[in-house]
Amino acid sequence: SICRIILDVADALQHAHTSGVLHRDVKPSNILLRRDGRAQLFDFGLAQLSDQPALTRTGEFTGTPYYVSPEQLSGRRRDLDARVDVYALGVTLYEMLTLQRPFEGKTTPALFRDILTRDAVPPGRVNPAVPHDLETICLAAMEKDPQRRYSSAGALAADLRRFLAYQPIEAR
């Protein structure tokens, strides 16, 4: 199921983050499904050690534009942490739930402006079959303000586990 795939990736990200590695390019095409149904995150080509300086100049980002977090676009390099990967995983979840991306600017600058200023249409409005709690998890992962987003991939994974176990989620 979609939740299990995102849960597997969240667990992989938490492991990477605990080891001091930011993936920086989480997206559907970097998730591989194994024969046993488990998901694996791959392509760490843009990964960065969290305590190392970025190789790009201020204001630039690495990754795929549709999945870039607002803080990556704002040029605040010091503020980048594991939540950039949480955001991208939230966008991936959104795309899996709705079969469309939350932001589709006609040009890259228009896309970036939308990421920075617009709220995504709630997944349940695009696909009425999306349960309210799963929509809440998705939108919490995609919060524009990193302080309001899940603090870690592990926190996102914990809420997905609660959702799958029919327990109350922590996101609001």
Side-chain angles (χ1 to χ4, degrees):
S1 80
I2 291 171
C3 289
R4 298 249 177 240
I5 292 168
I6 297 298
L7 179 57
D8 287 345
V9 175
D11 285 340
L13 284 171
Q14 183 61 38
H15 180 77
H17 296 159
T18 300
S19 301
V21 176
L22 300 178
H23 188 280
R24 301 190 317 158
D25 199 23
V26 176
K27 59 186 176 183
S29 62
N30 282 342
I31 299 171
L32 180 68
L33 293 180
R34 300 182 339 190
R35 288 180 193 228
D36 65 2
R38 300 287 314 260
Q40 285 186 298
L41 180 63
F42 67 103
D43 192 356
F44 279 76
L46 296 177
Q48 172 187 341
L49 293 174
S50 58
D51 61 351
Q52 299 297 310
L55 297 177
T56 57
R57 294 187 309 261
T58 300
E60 294 181 359
F61 76 94
T62 56
T64 304
Y66 297 107
Y67 306 91
V68 67
S69 68
E71 63 269 26
Q72 286 172 285
L73 295 176
S74 68
R76 296 186 314 258
R77 296 317 229 164
R78 291 183 309 260
D79 298 341
L80 301 186
D81 60 23
R83 292 172 293 189
V84 301
D85 287 342
V86 171
Y87 180 89
L89 188 55
V91 174
T92 300
L93 175 57
Y94 187 101
E95 191 172 343
M96 293 173 77
L97 293 172
T98 65
L99 301 180
Q100 66 185 42
R101 294 182 188 115
F103 306 107
E104 286 281 358
K106 294 191 188 306
T107 64
T108 301
L111 171 65
F112 290 170
R113 191 170 38 258
D114 287 350
I115 290 170
L116 286 167
T117 63
R118 281 189 40 234
D119 289 327
V121 174
R125 272 204 238 145
V126 179
N127 176 2
V130 175
H132 178 71
D133 279 355
L134 187 54
E135 174 181 271
T136 301
I137 290 169
C138 180
L139 293 175
M142 291 176 51
E143 274 285 349
K144 291 194 184 309
D145 178 355
Q147 299 299 321
R148 299 187 61 199
R149 197 176 303 149
Y150 285 105
S151 61
S152 68
L156 171 57
D159 247 2
L160 284 169
R161 282 188 177 87
R162 282 188 279 277
F163 172 76
L164 289 168
Y166 303 100
Q167 297 171 346
I169 63 170
E170 291 190 2
R172 295 283 166 249

